[in-house]
Amino acid sequence: MESKEVTPDLYNRRCGSRQVLDRIGDRWSVLVVLTLAAGPKRYGELAGRIDGVSQKMLTQTLRGLERDGLVTRTVHAAVPLRVDYELTGLGRSLLTLLAGLEAWATDHLAEVEAARLRYDARASA
Amino acid sequence: MESKEVTPDLYNRRCGSRQVLDRIGDRWSVLVVLTLAAGPKRYGELAGRIDGVSQKMLTQTLRGLERDGLVTRTVHAAVPLRVDYELTGLGRSLLTLLAGLEAWATDHLAEVEAARLRYDARASA
DNA sequence: CGGAATCCCTCCCGATACTG
DNA sequence: CAGTATCGGGAGGGATTCCG
């Protein structure tokens, strides 16, 4: 039998918690979840809001989030077709943390950029 | 002049905050920072602790973190060579958030896995 | 011990075209 | 409008070898 109750080990690549982290680490997942923070959005709205994402990656990301129970996908049988995506309770619980990351990125952007300049100056010296 | 105070837009791929998020989103960066939470660690200690990371990726990740001002690299001129890595103040400020992610991954692992089973069952039906 | 450099291959992702 | 299918380039990342 495979190990199980050995304290979820993020550092073990076979541990599920590592896989969860991998999804969070996905470039687009974070942006999609944050975009859905304000409420349900249509596919096209997401595509328009998130700069640089291809339709393929957006679909793939949404499927992954849906599979993990973070978003729901609702098809409205109309013409033209309409599909809404919305955060689940689980998704919203993650949203809190991701919003924290967004805030951190914004708040410390200047420090990070300053550090980069310093580092690059040294490297070229 | 380039724009500046226009509210950093995470969704714009050219915005620096997006680049910061990309680094956070890096698979190994998160694990390295979390590993350094307990205090300074040698290169070899990091390599041994983080399952699945190659020496190349570990070095590359550490360079990136150092460049962004999240960790410091200290060389002790001894034989054999000894190099310590340690979180900076900036790194520790991020650590708080990452620890939150780790906790989330652990706490909601079961829910995510359950959601996956449900999704996969539907998909194959 | 802690890297740097090289080779090489996978698979991520974007662009395009087609379907319901 | 909201996808699926397919193809191809390129970067990411592993294994190996050599250096200080």
Side-chain angles (χ1 to χ4, degrees), chain B residues 32-52:
Chain B
V32 168
V33 171
L34 287 173
T35 304
L36 290 175
K41 291 240 179 320
R42 300 185 57 174
Y43 180 89
E45 292 181 287
L46 291 169
R49 181 79 176 95
I50 304 174
D51 182 50

Side-chain angles (χ1 to χ4, degrees), chain B residues 10-71:
Chain B
L10 205 64
Y11 304 99
N12 184 335
R13 81 175 106 178
R14 278 185 296 278
C15 180
S17 63
R18 170 90 162 248
Q19 294 170 27
V20 171
L21 187 68
D22 283 346
R23 182 159 305 283
I24 296 173
D26 184 66
R27 312 175 52 191
W28 303 118
S29 291
V30 175
L31 294 173
V32 168
V33 171
L34 287 173
T35 304
L36 290 175
K41 291 240 179 320
R42 300 185 57 174
Y43 180 89
E45 292 181 287
L46 291 169
R49 181 79 176 95
I50 304 174
D51 182 50
V53 68
S54 67
Q55 158 256 42
K56 173 181 174 177
M57 290 316 300
L58 180 54
T59 298
Q60 188 172 301
T61 300
L62 286 167
R63 289 291 177 279
L65 292 173
E66 187 190 1
R67 186 169 109 97
D68 285 359
L70 297 175
V71 307

Side-chain angles (χ1 to χ4, degrees), chain A residues 27-28 52 54-57 81:
Chain A
R27 311 172 53 192
W28 304 117
S54 69
Q55 150 255 51
K56 174 180 175 178
M57 290 316 299
L81 193 57

Side-chain angles (χ1 to χ4, degrees), chain A residues 35-97:
Chain A
T35 304
L36 290 175
K41 290 245 179 316
R42 302 184 56 173
Y43 180 89
E45 292 181 288
L46 292 170
R49 182 79 176 97
I50 303 174
D51 182 49
V53 68
S54 69
Q55 150 255 51
K56 174 180 175 178
M57 290 316 299
L58 180 56
T59 298
Q60 188 172 303
T61 299
L62 286 167
R63 290 291 177 278
L65 292 173
E66 187 190 0
R67 186 169 108 97
D68 285 359
L70 297 175
V71 307
T72 57
R73 176 175 181 272
T74 309
V75 180
H76 302 276
V79 179
L81 193 57
R82 177 193 176 98
V83 180
D84 281 333
Y85 292 92
E86 184 173 15
L87 289 179
T88 63
L90 188 59
R92 275 189 296 278
S93 74
L94 178 58
L95 175 62
T96 308
L97 287 168

